[in-house]
Amino acid sequence: MNAGSDAPQARRRLPPEARTPQILRAALEEFAERGYAGARMAAVASRAGIAKGLIYHYFPSKEALFQATVHACTRPVFEEAERQLAGHAGPARDLLGSLVRIGYARIGADRQERILFRLIITEAERFPDLARFYRDEMLARATGIARAVLRAGVAAGEFRPEVADMPGLAEVVLAPVLMASVWRMILGETEAPAPESLRDAHLDLLLRGLSA
Amino acid sequence: MNAGSDAPQARRRLPPEARTPQILRAALEEFAERGYAGARMAAVASRAGIAKGLIYHYFPSKEALFQATVHACTRPVFEEAERQLAGHAGPARDLLGSLVRIGYARIGADRQERILFRLIITEAERFPDLARFYRDEMLARATGIARAVLRAGVAAGEFRPEVADMPGLAEVVLAPVLMASVWRMILGETEAPAPESLRDAHLDLLLRGLSA
DNA sequence: GGACTTACTGACCGTATGGTCAATAAGCAG
DNA sequence: CTGCTTATTGACCATACGGTCAGTAAGTCC
């Protein structure tokens, strides 16, 4: 009951390496909730529990704060999937199954990730950096994983040979997972199509469609 | 060279039924380009070639204009697909093929539609009307069409029986088309995955995955 | 032509918000 | 304790933008 973690701390001085991520976290929330134009610097400050002026001590402008916020999210999003991919030994269909399951699980779990995705869709046109970031750090890595699985399946004789190098197939394979996330953004978790149904139907279609 | 269609018309008076759609068109452009918060009423007026005050003669507020703009888009988006569905006689796989082709063709063609979709993703959280509109007028109708095709295929013995009523399958079937549109929003037409490749891979996967 | 309705204009207002800055005090070195 | 650095504040601009309104003139009916 003494040191409330979000009480109006009376001028607690922090070193930049502690204050900066705090501001970035607050900024991500605010930008995600209101979009770039709708976000207010005063609200970011309030979320971070500091005065507005302090933000400008760390970032020269709203735009700079926005860019920094996005770049701070470059953390490896696909670590788990890539680890699975590297360490897998059994049949490719099992690998595919567990990767798809990971994908749909994240949709429900990782709020941060959906927020970032929405921000990218919303602001990509005005901030080319965002589009580049999505293309290189998210789409390219995701399709890379998908393609690796497809090739592994072909190599093992489980999938028909054509799928190893069909252009666009990797994108098509993962599109339903991404749309599940988009639907959830639009409709909310109560109204959006149930992730479990999507996952099962998706997996069923994939296994039938890819098998030799 | 006399009556330039977008010259600063010197106080040309128009009946409301002519002025209203002009304002709505301008508003759709502005909202699509800047989002709700970023859109400026003065810019809408300028796009429509009128004074800002006139907008308030027709719409009481920015929010009302936004709602009206969206509702004006409720035109039957799926007319073409529904006509195809009703009038089709041959094999279900051909119907499926031609519907998928229509879907990918629209992605390239109908800018208006992509704009609306983006606006929905962007603003659905703040305007529940938008989410409802998307759910009832777009998603429900699209999945309805998909489900009808699946059932027709099962009835004709072309598709395996399970696909007639698998929950979530209709959504999974059309997800790649929608994602193609989203990718195009984010990456632009030069950087986004080629619609033709996506279409071919998508169709290949579907026919293999659904067939009996 | 005169009277009347109403589409239309543009100057104006209040407020919200991005950004500035001089003053303040927290932490630290001596 | 004294003095220094700099993180932190909050009052303060300048401006942009949503919204208002008194006035103007385009079209129409007689």
Side-chain angles (χ1 to χ4, degrees):
Chain A
M1 292 359 168
N2 45 10
S5 58
D6 57 342
Q9 290 131 312
R11 201 178 261 243
R12 187 138 152 77
R13 187 191 176 111
L14 289 180
E17 62 271 21
R19 193 62 88 189
T20 306
Q22 185 188 17
I23 295 174
L24 289 175
R25 238 176 302 129
L28 179 61
E29 277 181 41
E30 175 72 8
F31 281 128
E33 209 162 283
R34 312 259 198 157
Y36 177 78
R40 288 163 302 156
M41 296 298 272
V44 174
S46 160
R47 278 177 202 264
I50 57 174
K52 191 179 65 169
L54 186 54
I55 298 178
Y56 288 91
H57 184 69
Y58 290 96
F59 304 95
S61 68
K62 185 183 185 180
E63 185 165 336
L65 174 62
F66 181 70
Q67 305 267 11
T69 300
V70 172
H71 278 115
C73 295
T74 317
R75 332 153 303 176
V77 173
F78 298 102
E79 250 183 9
E80 190 180 353
E82 278 163 353
R83 223 173 324 124
Q84 282 254 356
L85 180 64
H88 192 79
R93 31 197 331 133
D94 292 351
L95 176 58
L96 183 63
S98 94
L99 288 176
V100 167
R101 253 177 283 274
I102 289 177
Y104 283 96
R106 287 199 96 100
I107 288 163
D110 206 325
R111 184 165 161 271
Q112 198 89 336
E113 232 156 89
R114 244 179 313 153
I115 283 178
L116 182 62
F117 191 24
R118 193 235 218 73
L119 214 44
I120 287 169
I121 296 175
T122 307
E123 310 292 343
E125 202 166 76
R126 251 161 308 166
F127 297 93
D129 252 24
L130 264 187
R132 221 175 350 231
F133 167 71
Y134 176 74
R135 194 191 55 195
D136 299 337
E137 293 300 323
M138 301 183 77
L139 184 56
R141 281 177 78 178
T143 55
I145 294 169
R147 240 183 298 273
V149 178
L150 293 176
R151 286 212 198 95
V154 171
E158 296 174 57
F159 299 157
R160 54 199 166 95
E162 310 96 89
V163 307
D165 281 305
M166 193 182 296
L169 183 59
E171 285 84 353
V172 168
V173 164
L174 55 90
V177 187
L178 303 179
M179 269 315 292
S181 171
V182 173
W183 280 321
R184 208 166 164 125
M185 282 185 230
I186 298 176
L187 300 173
E189 68 182 279
T190 61
E191 293 283 338
E196 302 80 25
S197 304
L198 296 176
R199 182 235 296 151
D200 295 341
H202 187 184
L203 211 42
D204 178 88
L205 186 70
L206 283 183
L207 290 178
R208 285 274 185 163
L210 299 172
S211 290
Chain B
M1 288 0 170
N2 44 10
S5 58
D6 58 342
Q9 290 132 311
R11 201 177 263 241
R12 190 140 147 81
R13 186 192 176 110
L14 287 181
E17 62 269 21
R19 192 63 88 191
T20 306
Q22 186 188 16
I23 295 173
L24 289 175
R25 239 176 300 130
L28 179 60
E29 277 181 42
E30 176 72 8
F31 281 127
E33 208 162 283
R34 311 259 196 157
Y36 178 77
R40 289 163 300 158
M41 295 297 272
V44 174
S46 161
R47 279 177 202 262
I50 58 175
K52 192 178 64 168
L54 187 54
I55 298 178
Y56 288 91
H57 184 69
Y58 291 95
F59 303 95
S61 67
K62 186 184 185 181
E63 186 166 333
L65 175 63
F66 181 71
Q67 304 268 10
T69 300
V70 172
H71 278 114
C73 295
T74 317
R75 333 153 301 178
V77 172
F78 298 102
E79 249 183 11
E80 190 179 355
E82 279 164 351
R83 222 173 325 124
Q84 283 254 355
L85 179 66
H88 192 79
R93 32 198 328 134
D94 293 350
L95 176 58
L96 183 64
S98 92
L99 288 176
V100 167
R101 253 177 283 274
I102 289 176
Y104 283 96
R106 287 199 96 100
I107 288 163
D110 206 325
R111 184 167 160 270
Q112 197 89 336
E113 233 156 90
R114 243 179 313 154
I115 284 178
L116 183 61
F117 192 24
R118 194 234 216 74
L119 214 45
I120 287 170
I121 296 175
T122 307
E123 310 293 343
E125 202 167 77
R126 250 161 307 163
F127 298 93
D129 253 24
L130 263 187
R132 220 175 349 228
F133 167 70
Y134 176 75
R135 193 192 55 196
D136 300 337
E137 293 299 324
M138 301 182 78
L139 184 57
R141 280 177 78 177
T143 54
I145 293 171
R147 240 183 300 274
V149 178
L150 293 178
R151 288 213 197 96
V154 171
E158 295 174 57
F159 299 157
R160 57 199 165 94
E162 310 94 88
V163 306
D165 281 305
M166 194 182 295
L169 182 59
E171 285 84 353
V172 168
V173 164
L174 54 90
V177 188
L178 303 179
M179 269 315 293
S181 172
V182 172
W183 280 321
R184 208 165 165 128
M185 283 186 233
I186 299 176
L187 300 173
E189 66 182 280
T190 62
E191 293 283 338
E196 302 79 25
S197 306
L198 296 176
R199 183 234 297 152
D200 294 343
H202 187 185
L203 212 41
D204 179 88
L205 185 70
L206 283 183
L207 290 178
R208 285 274 186 165
L210 299 172
S211 290

